[in-house]
Amino acid sequence: MALKSHFSPTPAVECGCDEAGRGCLAGPVCAAAVIFPYDYTNPEINDSKQLTEKKREQLRDIILKDAVSWAVTEVSAEEIDRMNILRASIHAMNLAVGQLTPAPELLLIDGNRFTDRWGIPYRCVVKGDATYLSIAAASILAKTHRDALMRRLSDEFPAYDWARNKGYPTPTHIAAVNRYGLTPWHRKSFHLKNQLSLDL
């Protein structure tokens, strides 16, 4: 089933936002924001998790060409340790929104929690990347950007197998941490219980 092209019943500059890398042990969390023309359609765009790597890369090029505006941002492991992963994810989305021209009139946020920095109305949508085209497109841009970064870092730190696990806590990655220790790209705060809190 094709994803919805817009939320508002009247034409508005809507922006979809999503992140990638929230559950990783290493690397930044990345976020993307995408504005499509009102009533834009593309039946191939879907939640990045439902697509193959090859398909994500193909759609990335289409999204960059068709979007009215787009941005991708990173928040480092060090910043994640300082502010927690939930706040870092929201911060990354706000950074991406702040780079868009024209400014959005409505933000569509994947998930159930957000704090707006810009005074723009927003709607949180659980499983939004499987509901709205702009959120799905943002999920693709964030995912492809972060995956490319982790592949580059894997050349520098081959023992951790980041080219394949992208920093997620796979058995191979965990075994490498136990054997070789942490790199500067590892998040050091994920044993703490406040990683999903906005009220620190």
Side-chain angles (χ1 to χ4, degrees):
M1 185 173 66
L3 305 190
K4 297 178 182 179
S5 62
H6 56 268
F7 177 91
S8 175
T10 58
V13 182
E14 295 185 2
C15 166
C17 301
D18 201 2
E19 52 74 28
R22 205 167 99 162
C24 295
L25 301 181
V29 64
C30 297
V34 176
I35 298 172
F36 278 133
Y38 191 78
D39 277 345
Y40 174 81
T41 60
N42 185 323
E44 295 187 295
I45 294 176
N46 198 356
D47 171 11
S48 64
K49 297 184 292 296
Q50 304 301 318
L51 304 170
T52 65
E53 182 174 353
K54 180 179 180 180
K55 192 64 177 178
R56 285 194 297 267
E57 292 294 338
Q58 292 173 344
L59 287 170
R60 174 186 178 275
D61 293 339
I62 293 171
I63 293 163
L64 298 186
K65 176 175 66 72
D66 291 352
V68 172
S69 186
W70 62 272
V72 181
T73 57
E74 303 172 9
V75 173
S76 69
E78 182 180 4
E79 291 175 283
I80 292 168
D81 288 338
R82 179 172 56 82
M83 67 175 66
N84 87 22
I85 186 58
L86 178 58
R87 285 185 170 185
S89 299
I90 292 171
H91 178 51
M93 286 191 277
N94 273 298
L95 289 175
V97 169
Q99 295 182 19
L100 299 176
T101 302
E105 297 172 339
L106 177 67
L107 306 180
L108 300 177
I109 308 296
D110 184 59
N112 62 359
R113 303 177 78 178
F114 186 68
T115 302
D116 169 57
R117 177 186 300 178
W118 308 109
I120 301 170
Y122 66 89
R123 299 290 183 272
C124 292
V125 185
V126 175
K127 297 184 179 179
D129 49 7
T131 306
Y132 289 100
L133 272 171
S134 60
I135 302 179
S139 78
I140 292 168
L141 294 192
K143 173 69 172 166
T144 54
H145 178 91
R146 191 179 188 283
D147 284 359
L149 171 62
M150 296 309 293
R151 286 193 294 269
R152 292 194 297 271
L153 290 177
S154 190
D155 292 338
E156 187 176 353
F157 300 95
Y160 299 86
D161 200 28
W162 290 339
R164 287 194 290 182
N165 63 51
K166 308 303 189 294
Y168 284 89
T170 64
T172 301
H173 188 183
I174 293 170
V177 170
N178 290 334
R179 181 172 181 180
Y180 302 108
L182 299 176
T183 71
W185 292 93
H186 276 97
R187 306 170 187 179
K188 301 173 177 63
S189 58
F190 267 32
H191 64 287
L192 302 177
K193 294 181 180 180
N194 63 8
Q195 278 300 317
L196 298 179
S197 171
L198 286 175
D199 301 310
L200 298 181

